[in-house]
Amino acid sequence: MKLSVWTYEGPPHVGAMRVATAMEKLHYVLHAPQGDTYADLLFTMIERRNKRPPVTYTTFEARDLGKDTAQLFQDAAREAAERFKPQAMIVGASCTAELIQDDPGGLSEAMDLPCPAIPLELPSYQRKENWGAAETFYQIVRHLADKDFVRTPREGRAPRANILGPCALGFRHRDDLVEIRKILDTLGVEVNLVAPLDATPSDIARIGAADFNIVLYPEIADEAARWLERQFKQPAIRTIPIGVGATRSFIADVAELAGADPTPALGDTHSRLPWWSRSVDSTYLTGKRVFIFGDATHAVAAARIASEELGFEVCGLGCYNREFAREVRAAAKLYNVEPLITDDHLEVEEAIAAAAPELVLGTQMERHIAKRLGLACAVISSPVHVQDFPARHSPQMGFEGANVIFDTWVHPLVMGLEEHLLTMFREDFEFSDANGPSHHAANAPRKPSEAQPAPEEPLVTAHDGAMWTDEAQRELKKIPFFVRGKARRNTEVFAAEQGRAQIDLDTLYDAKAHYAR
């Protein structure tokens, strides 16, 4: 058994809860003990929703295990139907309740409830959150879609599309949707429905009215989209419009299926990323080494943007959702890196430390890792912190999403340069830590003789036992912090290989010359 402090995904019933919370007039009856009701906090505290998720828990206790827990479930389901009057319900068990095998799906079928009750079989000990969300959405579509629905002919009407995948707790899903709607409106494409976000069960019933589907987030919608292809002969667009190049490809794909002219949508001039990538200033970032880890969709998109649109070098690429490992492995081949498919954050930390990148793009986990390693970082994927659900409009998709990505990725590197410059001049009397801000009249710079000398730093032991001298440590601090860790490790490896017991200035310079060859 392995204890994990952090997890990238929760159990599959949390994925089901994300779908239920995203939709309207749908209720989730979850057979679960008291301790499994924690998931509410994900939506009220992290996503900052102003209402609880539409979930009824049976909340059985240990003393109930000697009684009829099946009756507890039936009572909870009946009360939920009467109180909330949903158009449909989904029923299932949490990871703990799964062990007692009460079969919520079979129990609900025998109850003659006033609305459809969709059973969920979510194996908690084999699958995880994203799979649970995808399976839940698939079951909802399969059970509620009107299979006898016949689309009206295309002649005389605008093309129609379903937007599939936006969900609760999704990374910038709300804002991405705004940008996608703008593109479709420019192309003259009507939105038949968006699901699961804000869709009702009655909306799902008419999902067959669309001419094609747009799969924005494959982790959530790919399985349902494949069923719709078979059932309603609806083709699916799977181009993810993250980045300028992918947005242009997305527009071309939509225009082709819709029979529309892509020119008006392609004429967007609001994105500043292409201009900056061609500017003189961009040379500061050319060749920066970036390590990318997250859900497969965002990780693969980030790697393409980093390599093709910003001129970065991808030195690491991976994902935590194994269901999409094939896509990440294919992308990793393009950048000649070894794919990292794992849900162990300690493995990710080890890989980042070994790669010594200048920028880390990842989840909330990688943000913490990067901070510990002194690396610039930006969040590109769930799981995320509350600060990654901003009140402002902050998409990842479309041309405006490219602007947001540009700011989010470039600013940590630029601020790193600023911090490095402050460090370089720290010994100057005007920037001395002993003096206050120079622009304050009350903090006039002291004369060099009056400034308090910085205390001498003790010798630091390297991992191999060699000792860093004070002089070498001071010189090391002049190296920009975002590559200082790499320089330190290289120097220590060089000292060990050369059998040097002390790392002084000569060793530091010799190591620099050695690795520069």
Side-chain angles (χ1 to χ4, degrees):
M1 179 178 288
K2 189 174 185 179
L3 177 64
S4 181
V5 179
W6 291 342
T7 58
Y8 287 96
E9 297 181 88
H13 74 265
V14 172
M17 197 177 299
R18 289 175 57 191
V19 173
T21 304
M23 293 183 64
E24 300 289 336
K25 300 181 180 179
L26 177 77
H27 200 80
Y28 186 15
V29 180
L30 182 61
H31 200 24
Q34 279 186 327
D36 282 358
T37 60
Y38 64 89
D40 282 14
L41 302 179
L42 296 172
F43 303 94
T44 57
M45 292 183 66
I46 295 181
E47 195 177 17
R48 297 191 286 199
R49 284 182 172 259
N50 58 0
K51 58 182 179 181
R52 287 186 62 251
V55 182
T56 293
Y57 303 91
T58 56
T59 57
F60 59 82
E61 303 176 13
R63 63 187 179 186
D64 295 320
L65 295 178
K67 306 174 186 176
D68 188 0
T69 52
Q71 186 61 48
L72 288 175
F73 171 82
Q74 290 178 313
D75 292 343
R78 191 173 291 107
E79 290 170 8
E82 293 175 358
R83 177 182 176 185
F84 298 104
K85 296 180 172 53
Q87 292 181 1
M89 290 169 43
I90 53 177
V91 298
S94 73
C95 46
T96 309
E98 184 182 331
L99 299 174
I100 61 177
Q101 300 180 336
D102 275 337
D103 185 20
L107 292 171
S108 61
E109 281 184 18
M111 291 176 59
D112 193 27
L113 292 168
C115 63
I118 302 167
L120 299 178
E121 295 290 338
L122 306 178
S124 299
Y125 300 96
Q126 289 83 38
R127 298 288 190 167
K128 294 194 175 182
E129 180 181 325
N130 275 315
W131 183 89
E135 176 67 12
T136 299
F137 184 49
Y138 162 68
Q139 293 295 344
I140 288 172
V141 170
R142 192 171 71 87
H143 280 80
L144 298 181
D146 182 356
K147 298 178 181 61
D148 297 322
F149 195 95
V150 178
R151 274 195 304 277
T152 57
R154 283 282 297 272
E155 292 76 14
R157 66 169 175 83
R160 288 193 290 259
N162 296 319
I163 301 177
L164 306 180
C167 194
L169 270 183
F171 186 64
R172 310 292 171 84
H173 287 195
R174 174 201 65 182
D175 300 338
D176 287 346
L177 189 56
V178 173
E179 298 303 311
I180 298 305
R181 282 184 176 274
K182 287 179 182 177
I183 291 173
L184 296 182
D185 185 57
T186 303
L187 293 172
V189 177
E190 291 182 357
V191 176
N192 180 52
L193 65 84
V194 176
L197 189 64
D198 295 332
T200 65
S202 58
D203 290 334
I204 300 294
R206 57 181 179 82
I207 199 169
D211 300 304
F212 58 92
N213 294 311
I214 296 172
V215 182
L216 283 190
Y217 308 101
E219 280 85 355
I220 306 296
D222 193 60
E223 188 177 3
R226 293 186 187 281
W227 183 83
L228 290 169
E229 283 180 299
R230 297 190 299 270
Q231 182 67 37
F232 295 107
K233 303 297 185 290
Q234 292 173 330
I237 293 174
R238 290 182 168 83
T239 303
I240 310 300
I242 300 179
V244 174
T247 298
R248 291 182 175 277
S249 297
F250 172 81
I251 290 171
D253 291 346
V254 172
E256 182 179 357
L257 283 183
D261 179 9
T263 306
L266 290 172
D268 187 290
T269 58
H270 297 296
S271 179
R272 298 180 61 82
L273 190 153
W275 163 82
W276 189 88
S277 296
R278 295 190 297 268
S279 71
V280 174
D281 288 344
S282 70
T283 57
Y284 164 65
L285 297 182
T286 301
K288 290 292 184 185
R289 301 175 73 255
V290 58
F291 191 103
I292 302 168
F293 191 88
D295 71 47
T297 295
H298 287 88
V300 171
R304 192 198 56 76
I305 295 170
S307 176
E308 298 179 15
E309 299 184 15
L310 287 172
F312 292 169
E313 177 189 343
V314 177
C315 65
L317 177 62
C319 73
Y320 57 79
N321 47 338
R322 298 177 184 275
E323 293 85 0
F324 288 83
R326 180 179 300 175
E327 287 82 350
V328 173
R329 290 193 176 100
K333 285 184 179 179
L334 299 176
Y335 312 110
N336 198 28
V337 296
E338 188 69 25
L340 178 62
I341 314 298
T342 181
D343 57 4
D344 185 342
H345 63 89
L346 296 177
E347 285 186 33
V348 179
E349 181 167 3
E350 184 178 325
I352 292 174
E358 287 135 318
L359 176 66
V360 176
L361 303 175
T363 71
Q364 175 71 8
M365 314 290 197
E366 284 67 50
R367 174 194 282 152
H368 288 300
I369 291 168
K371 285 183 176 180
R372 283 201 300 275
L373 297 176
L375 301 171
C377 59
V379 174
I380 62 162
S381 161
S382 296
V384 294
H385 192 263
V386 61
Q387 71 192 68
D388 294 304
F389 289 98
R392 68 186 184 281
H393 183 60
S394 187
Q396 295 286 286
M397 293 185 175
F399 294 118
E400 184 59 27
N403 286 336
V404 172
I405 288 171
F406 167 76
D407 286 342
T408 306
W409 296 12
V410 170
H411 285 180
L413 293 171
V414 174
M415 293 306 293
L417 176 62
E418 179 180 287
E419 183 169 331
H420 170 54
L421 292 173
L422 291 175
T423 302
M424 282 180 61
F425 291 102
R426 186 154 290 159
E427 294 180 9
D428 187 283
F429 75 93
E430 189 173 5
F431 292 94
S432 171
D433 290 337
N435 295 315
S438 60
H439 59 279
H440 289 174
N443 293 318
R446 302 179 188 178
K447 296 178 182 179
S449 60
E450 296 175 345
Q452 296 294 323
E456 286 294 320
E457 297 187 36
L459 291 174
V460 175
T461 305
H463 294 299
D464 58 11
M467 303 295 288
W468 282 81
T469 66
D470 295 342
E471 195 176 28
Q473 286 184 73
R474 286 193 291 272
E475 191 68 14
L476 181 68
K477 285 190 174 182
K478 294 180 182 179
I479 298 173
F481 80 93
F482 42 82
V483 292
R484 190 182 304 149
K486 180 180 179 181
R488 181 189 185 98
R489 284 189 295 274
N490 286 348
T491 304
E492 292 175 355
V493 169
F494 176 81
E497 291 175 349
Q498 297 292 317
R500 303 190 187 188
Q502 190 177 64
I503 300 177
D504 54 16
L505 273 181
D506 289 340
T507 306
L508 187 61
Y509 292 146
D510 289 346
K512 179 181 178 183
H514 172 77
Y515 287 104
R517 287 197 294 267

